[in-house]
Amino acid sequence: MEHRGDPSQPPHPADILTGNYEEWKNSAVEKEVIIIGGGISGLTAAKTLIENNITNILLLEADIRIGGRVRTYRQGNLSVEEGAEWIHGGERNPLYRLAKQLQAVVPSLPDDVWDERVVTNNGRRSDPLKYEVVEELMEEADTNGILEPYYHTGYGQFYLDRFPEAYGKGWDSTLGQAWLHLLEKTVNAEEGTNNWLDMSARDADQYVAKGQDHHWRNGFGTVVEYLQESIPDDVIRLSSPVCQIFWDQDDGGGGGGGSKVLLVTNNGRASYSAGRVVVAISVGHLKERHQDLFRPPLPVSLVKDLNSIELGVADKIQIGWEEPWWGSKDPLSVAILWTDRNLPKDMEWLYGIVEISSVTQHPNVLLTFVTGEEAKVMESLPKDSVKRHLMRLLATITGLQVPEPILFTRSQWGRNPWTRGSYSSYITVEGDRSGLHKRQKLGMPLTNSSGKTVVFWAGEHIHNTRYGTVDGAMEVGEQQARRLIRKMKESGDQTYSKSTRVVNGIK
């Protein structure tokens, strides 16, 4: 829902041009570089610029906090992740090496400590060995070359084609189809997609894994704090949503290649001017708002590529107690097979939940994912209703009374106006067919009509092989900042030249 006149929300289109361009231009606070977006990619870009002695910068963050889709929720001694959950990989992942350097890596729990169960939605135990079918198919999908025949179709089609043979006799029975449903929802959660048939198999094939997952000690917010330490407080301006970006304007505001980019924030109540701008906002927000944000509009080719990518909605629900109540002291992992579909209408979003498991650092806290349309429905419900529905499901699948929890939290990334999605973007099938095969096309900077490169792009969605990861967002933020620095050097920007001489002098 739009809130007209509320600076904490994106402006309503009718409100955008109520100001005067000349007034905005004349009152603009001048900076050398402005970064839009205080997520991991934007923070990394700021850190990289500062480390290269480009300090006359400003980072504009629309929200009341930095970190973007990294958000650690803390309650007493408990810390859980509403956003990014894992460091994906070991020594090959620079984020893992950073966490290790900060002594912030938490090892995964060994397999033999878990209380693992497979049950139907009515609480009946089922054959846990069939879970190997799910695991083996997901591993098979990572085999080199196996997805090539599916490059012009959906990623999920590979699984639909392979499932009957992998499952064997009874694959089309009620129980077999419940396992297929579990596989589908598991893949959607793994990839962050709304629908596994909507994700291009070519895009899925380009992701490069870097080993086992790890957790951050004391929360993923540790990496936000690490990045923030390098950035002076006065560089970051919170609650400053950008509502207009004049990136190719003459002195009269009518278009014609001015040397500066003019940014208007807070529904016209503040303005800033910079020689270069890094746009590091969520691709979900960018897709929704680009027509209102950019003056002149973005190039048609870039808009076409933006329309070829989606940001999935994958939400978390976390519920915790002081001690386990599920019949054992071990951390719980329960897979749910929906053999019956008899829920009341308002509870049908629960069909999107196929696994509930303990959080590594807090085994008495249970975590579940819900994706796509079910996630959107869940987000629309009152928090108390979501809690009540989940507790009813837990009672049914365990056959036990569920005590009142001490912690309950759910994410709403789809409803968040600054994200409009969660952790992973994906090229759609139609996007692949229209020609977007490599994400770096989305990272090509904008050059104005005077030939000056003025707008640079950052964010996880630009990384070809590590999209949907924090390390991918960091890498893109650094790459785009270094690209900007090279452009400054090539054009002989005065401030950059001075900074370079100082650095060389130290060397």
Side-chain angles (χ1 to χ4, degrees):
M1 177 179 178
E2 303 279 8
H3 298 276
R4 297 185 61 172
D6 181 354
S8 69
Q9 296 289 327
H12 188 279
D15 294 333
I16 290 174
L17 290 176
T18 56
N20 181 284
Y21 177 87
E22 284 299 322
E23 291 178 3
W24 287 330
K25 178 176 175 295
N26 293 333
S27 62
V29 175
E30 293 194 9
K31 294 290 178 179
E32 191 170 7
V33 179
I34 291 178
I35 300 165
I36 305 172
I40 295 299
S41 211
L43 292 170
T44 304
K47 180 178 185 292
T48 303
L49 292 171
I50 290 168
E51 289 175 345
N52 284 271
N53 292 314
I54 299 174
T55 57
N56 184 22
I57 68 174
L58 184 66
L59 187 152
L60 298 172
E61 168 55 48
D63 210 339
I64 59 174
R65 50 170 283 275
I66 58 172
R69 286 168 279 164
V70 170
R71 183 170 189 171
T72 301
Y73 176 83
R74 304 185 191 279
Q75 179 178 306
N77 295 325
L78 297 175
S79 61
V80 295
E81 308 295 354
E82 288 194 4
E85 182 83 18
W86 294 282
I87 304 169
H88 295 290
E91 290 292 341
R92 293 172 58 205
N93 185 339
L95 185 60
Y96 172 85
R97 298 196 297 271
L98 171 62
K100 195 173 178 181
Q101 173 189 324
L102 298 174
Q103 298 183 328
V105 177
V106 176
S108 300
L109 294 174
D111 292 342
D112 59 2
V113 306
W114 290 86
D115 176 359
E116 295 183 330
R117 308 177 188 180
V118 178
V119 300
T120 69
N121 60 288
N122 295 315
R124 294 190 298 272
R125 292 293 180 116
S126 189
D127 182 4
L129 293 179
K130 285 296 185 182
Y131 203 92
E132 294 179 5
V133 175
V134 173
E135 294 175 329
E136 289 171 0
L137 283 177
M138 293 180 71
E139 289 176 6
E140 185 180 343
D142 290 334
T143 306
N144 287 339
I146 201 162
L147 291 178
E148 287 186 16
Y150 297 90
Y151 274 9
H152 293 290
T153 188
Y155 179 48
Q157 192 61 50
F158 163 79
Y159 293 99
L160 292 174
D161 287 352
R162 287 285 298 116
F163 181 77
E165 179 183 352
Y167 186 91
K169 185 179 179 180
W171 71 269
D172 55 351
S173 67
T174 299
L175 184 60
Q177 290 301 292
W179 275 106
L180 178 60
H181 174 77
L182 182 144
L183 173 62
E184 176 186 357
K185 298 304 179 183
T186 302
V187 170
N188 282 343
E190 179 87 5
E191 302 295 337
T193 57
N194 294 329
N195 184 325
W196 65 353
L197 289 174
D198 194 33
M199 180 183 189
S200 159
R202 187 198 312 268
D203 191 40
D205 207 20
Q206 292 187 87
Y207 180 84
V208 173
K210 294 190 175 182
Q212 297 297 314
D213 294 339
H214 299 83
H215 285 83
W216 279 90
R217 190 181 308 280
N218 299 323
F220 223 124
T222 303
V223 75
V224 178
E225 296 165 3
Y226 164 79
L227 293 170
Q228 190 175 7
E229 286 176 359
S230 303
I231 305 170
D233 291 342
D234 61 357
V235 166
I236 298 174
R237 192 153 301 179
L238 301 176
S239 300
S240 298
V242 175
C243 58
Q244 289 277 261
I245 303 171
F246 295 93
W247 65 275
D248 192 7
Q249 301 292 324
D250 61 20
D251 289 340
S259 62
K260 298 279 189 177
V261 178
L262 179 68
L263 295 92
V264 183
T265 71
N266 298 82
N267 288 0
R269 289 193 280 274
S271 58
Y272 304 90
S273 178
R276 322 270 176 171
V277 171
V278 179
V279 179
I281 60 181
S282 156
V283 70
H285 179 74
L286 181 60
K287 280 170 60 68
E288 181 180 73
R289 304 302 304 186
H290 72 83
Q291 289 181 315
D292 300 329
L293 278 174
F294 292 91
R295 294 290 184 272
L298 294 178
V300 172
S301 59
L302 177 55
V303 172
K304 175 174 174 285
D305 289 337
L306 278 175
N307 289 334
S308 297
I309 199 166
E310 289 291 340
L311 183 61
V313 179
D315 284 313
K316 297 178 183 179
I317 308 172
Q318 299 179 90
I319 183 169
W321 300 265
E322 290 183 351
E323 57 185 27
W325 53 265
W326 43 82
S328 75
K329 297 295 183 181
D330 297 328
L332 180 67
S333 176
V334 53
I336 303 169
L337 300 169
W338 288 95
T339 54
D340 295 309
R341 299 295 181 97
N342 53 8
L343 290 175
K345 184 71 174 176
D346 65 328
M347 294 180 64
E348 288 182 352
W349 68 271
L350 287 172
Y351 296 142
I353 294 179
V354 296
E355 188 165 6
I356 302 174
S357 60
S358 293
V359 173
T360 295
Q361 297 184 70
H362 305 290
N364 297 341
V365 177
L366 299 180
L367 161 69
T368 189
F369 284 82
V370 58
T371 62
E373 291 305 314
E374 288 96 349
K376 295 174 185 178
V377 172
M378 182 278 295
E379 290 188 11
S380 71
L381 296 173
K383 186 176 180 179
D384 285 345
S385 296
V386 174
K387 175 182 169 183
R388 185 176 68 255
H389 294 172
L390 182 59
M391 290 179 67
R392 178 171 164 180
L393 175 62
L394 285 168
T396 301
I397 64 176
T398 61
L400 299 171
Q401 183 175 349
V402 181
E404 186 66 21
I406 61 171
L407 176 144
F408 183 82
T409 181
R410 53 97 182 257
S411 61
Q412 293 177 289
W413 293 111
R415 289 171 69 87
N416 186 321
W418 312 120
T419 58
R420 294 302 188 210
S422 53
Y423 47 85
S424 188
S425 58
Y426 57 96
I427 298 175
T428 65
V429 173
E430 289 304 315
D432 180 87
R433 291 172 181 170
S434 69
L436 183 63
H437 298 159
K438 296 288 186 180
R439 291 162 176 258
Q440 72 256 31
K441 288 178 66 180
L442 295 162
M444 295 301 295
L446 296 181
T447 300
N448 66 19
S449 53
S450 293
K452 181 179 179 180
T453 305
V454 290
V455 177
F456 300 78
W457 307 97
E460 58 82 21
H461 63 284
I462 294 170
H463 205 296
N464 278 333
T465 61
R466 295 291 291 176
Y467 52 84
T469 67
V470 175
D471 60 277
M474 291 181 73
E475 185 175 339
V476 170
E478 180 177 354
Q479 288 175 345
Q480 294 301 307
R482 294 193 181 282
R483 173 182 265 179
L484 184 153
I485 292 167
R486 288 195 300 271
K487 289 295 183 181
M488 293 177 71
K489 183 177 181 180
E490 291 169 4
S491 63
D493 286 19
Q494 184 179 6
T495 305
Y496 179 82
S497 299
K498 289 179 179 178
S499 299
T500 303
R501 284 196 294 273
V502 171
V503 173
N504 290 339
I506 292 175
K507 289 183 178 178

